[in-house]
Structures are given as structure tokens and as C-alpha cells.
């Protein structure tokens, strides 16, 4: 009886793990061009192939990696790169706060594992789930599969970048925008979120056009402020 029960529990965990993997598959496939770009950028920036792969394996943050490699190529200092990377990835603090009630009851090894695997894509998949809906094995399957896809794509990009120096001129960077569009659009379900997205879009384009430094941070803060004000004003009217 105990053996049968243990077997059923194992099958249930494996099933939920693969359900998470399958649910993440569209985003895993969508990120492949982005990973190729990250790998080729690593070579183009003068990094050793192992260093380029290590960025994806350890840092595991696509936008931060691309920016960091651009700064390496431009000869930026370490402090500047660290601060820039910190600000770019600071949104993960918000993700972690949102996920805290779901993850905090878990053992430390689970909190560390899911914390490392927490990306925009994983948050888009499980961030809206309630505490009852959230399943650690589902989240692990989704996050780990995405991690493997990202690193495999980076490896392919490193190989391609070594033999095709012009790979970064093929327009693969559009995969970055396409991935975030796929993440953001389904989450636009009310006016404050819509206003936040529109504000971020308009500010980022305008500030980039006028070559304003810190455009990304300014657009992000402006979008958050707009969403907050819209939420507050909407609440008062109700």
C-alpha cells in the first residue's frame, strides 16, 4: 500500500512538472532567437565562449545580458555595468514580493530554486495564480525548461557567432520585443494596466528619440506612477 501511494505521488509530481514544461513551451520557443542573439553578442563583445555561456547559466537575464555585453564592448567600467544591471533587473523585486505568499511556506531549497528561475516569463505564467492554485512542481517544470531552452539557444548563438560574424545584423533583436509583447498583452485587463503600458511605450520611444540618458528607468517609473494614480483615482470614484 505504501509503495503504491509513493508511486502515485511520484507520478503526480512528474505530471505537474511536465504540465508546467508544456505550458511554458510557447515562450521557450519564442525566446530562442533572443538566446541566439545573446550568444552571438557574447562573441562579438570579445568574450570567451565559456564566459558567454556562463552569463546565461549564472546571470540568466536576457535584457541585462544584452546591455552588459554592449557595455563591455563599449569599454564601460565594472561599477557602471553593475549599477545598470541592478536597475534593469530591479523589477524582479516586485515579482518576488508578489510571489512571497506562495513561496514562503516552501523549504529553503525550493525558495532558492524558484527564486533563481523567476523570470518575466515564469511570473507571467504563475504570478496570477492564487496560493491554492500555485504548484511548486508546475512552476519548477516551467522555470527549469525555460532555463534549459535559454542556455541551449545561447550555446547555439555562440557557435553561430563564431562562424557567422554578422549574425547580430539579421534582426534577431526583434525577438526581445516580441517576447515582452506576448507577456504584457494578456495581462492588460483593466484601465490602470492599459495606461501603464501606453505610458511606458510612449515615454520609451520619445526618450530614445531624443537620446535621453536613463530612458528605460524614466519610462518604467513614469509607467508605474501612471498606473498607481489611475488605480487610486479609480478607487476613490468607486
Amino acid at each position: 500500500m505504501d509503495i503504491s501511494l509513493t508511486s502515485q505521488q511520484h507520478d503526480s509530481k512528474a505530471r505537474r512538472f511536465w504540465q508546467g514544461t508544456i505550458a511554458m513551451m510557447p515562450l521557450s520557443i519564442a525566446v530562442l532567437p533572443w538566446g541566439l542573439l545573446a550568444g552571438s553578442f557574447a562573441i562579438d563583445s570579445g568574450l570567451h565562449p565559456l564566459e558567454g555561456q556562463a552569463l546565461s547559466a549564472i546571470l540568466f537575464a536576457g535584457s541585462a545580458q544584452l546591455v552588459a555585453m554592449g557595455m563591455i564592448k563599449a569599454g564601460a567600467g565594472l561599477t557602471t555595468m553593475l549599477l545598470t544591471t541592478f536597475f534593469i533587473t530591479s523589477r524582479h523585486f516586485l515579482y518576488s514580493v508578489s510571489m512571497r505568499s506562495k513561496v514562503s511556506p516552501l523549504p529553503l531549497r525550493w525558495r532558492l530554486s524558484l527564486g533563481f528561475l523567476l523570470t518575466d516569463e515564469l511570473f507571467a505564467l504563475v504570478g496570477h495564480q492564487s496560493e491554492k492554485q500555485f504548484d511548486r512542481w508546475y512552476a519548477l517544470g516551467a522555470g527549469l525548461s525555460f532555463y534549459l531552452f535559454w542556455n541551449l539557444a545561447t550555446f547555439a548563438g555562440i557557435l553561430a557567432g563564431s562562424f557567422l560574424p554578422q549574425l547580430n545584423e539579421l534582426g534577431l533583436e526583434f525577438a526581445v520585443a516580441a517576447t515582452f509583447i506576448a507577456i504584457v498583452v494578456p495581462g492588460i485587463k483593466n484601465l490602470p494596466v492599459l495606461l501603464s503600458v501606453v505610458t511606458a511605450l510612449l515615454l520609451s520611444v520619445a526618450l530614445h528619440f531624443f537620446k535621453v540618458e536613463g530612458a528605460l528607468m524614466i519610462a518604467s517609473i513614469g509607467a508605474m506612477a501612471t498606473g498607481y494614480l489611475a488605480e487610486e483615482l479609480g478607487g476613490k470614484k468607486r
Side-chain angles (χ1 to χ4, degrees):
M1 181 66 71
D2 291 340
I3 296 177
S4 176
L5 181 60
T6 302
S7 177
Q8 290 177 359
Q9 291 175 340
H10 177 76
D11 291 343
S12 177
K13 292 175 182 178
R15 184 174 64 254
R16 299 197 304 271
F17 180 92
W18 286 111
Q19 285 175 343
T21 300
I22 293 171
M24 181 62 82
M25 193 62 66
L27 290 174
S28 296
I29 294 174
V31 85
L32 290 178
W34 192 352
L36 288 170
L37 187 64
S40 65
F41 263 23
I43 300 301
D44 189 56
S45 300
L47 295 179
H48 187 276
L50 289 178
E51 294 173 331
Q53 190 66 56
L55 273 177
S56 285
I58 299 172
L59 182 57
F60 187 37
S63 54
Q65 286 178 228
L66 294 178
V67 171
M69 285 183 285
M71 296 180 75
I72 290 173
K73 188 175 181 180
L78 179 61
T79 302
T80 302
M81 285 190 287
L82 289 175
L83 287 174
T84 302
T85 302
F86 172 79
F87 282 118
I88 290 175
T89 58
S90 60
R91 65 187 183 279
H92 288 81
F93 286 113
L94 300 178
Y95 295 164
S96 62
V97 170
S98 177
M99 296 285 292
R100 183 178 179 180
S101 61
K102 306 166 190 174
V103 178
S104 57
L106 301 178
L108 179 61
R109 66 180 185 276
W110 275 97
R111 298 200 303 271
L112 292 176
S113 298
L114 294 179
F116 175 74
L117 295 173
L118 183 58
T119 58
D120 301 296
E121 290 78 8
L122 182 58
F123 184 77
L125 194 64
V126 302
H128 66 281
Q129 294 178 342
S130 66
E131 294 178 31
K132 291 184 178 180
Q133 292 174 321
F134 180 77
D135 182 270
R136 70 180 81 176
W137 289 100
Y138 179 92
L140 180 64
L144 187 58
S145 62
F146 188 82
Y147 177 78
L148 293 175
F149 266 82
W150 174 252
N151 278 275
L152 287 173
T154 301
F155 179 70
I158 289 172
L159 291 179
S162 300
F163 298 101
L164 301 172
Q166 306 303 318
L167 184 64
N168 57 359
E169 297 180 4
L170 298 180
L172 295 177
E173 63 272 12
F174 179 72
V176 179
T179 301
F180 277 103
I181 289 172
I183 292 172
V184 171
V185 171
I188 303 176
K189 297 179 180 179
N190 53 54
L191 183 59
V193 175
L194 175 61
L195 291 176
S196 296
V197 172
V198 172
T199 301
L201 175 63
L202 295 178
L203 278 178
S204 59
V205 172
L207 294 173
H208 178 74
F209 178 79
F210 290 106
K211 295 181 171 54
V212 177
E213 292 188 9
L216 178 63
M217 186 57 58
I218 296 172
S220 299
I221 294 174
M224 287 188 287
T226 300
Y228 175 77
L229 290 174
E231 185 73 28
E232 287 294 305
L233 292 174
K236 289 180 179 179
K237 288 181 179 180
R238 289 193 295 269

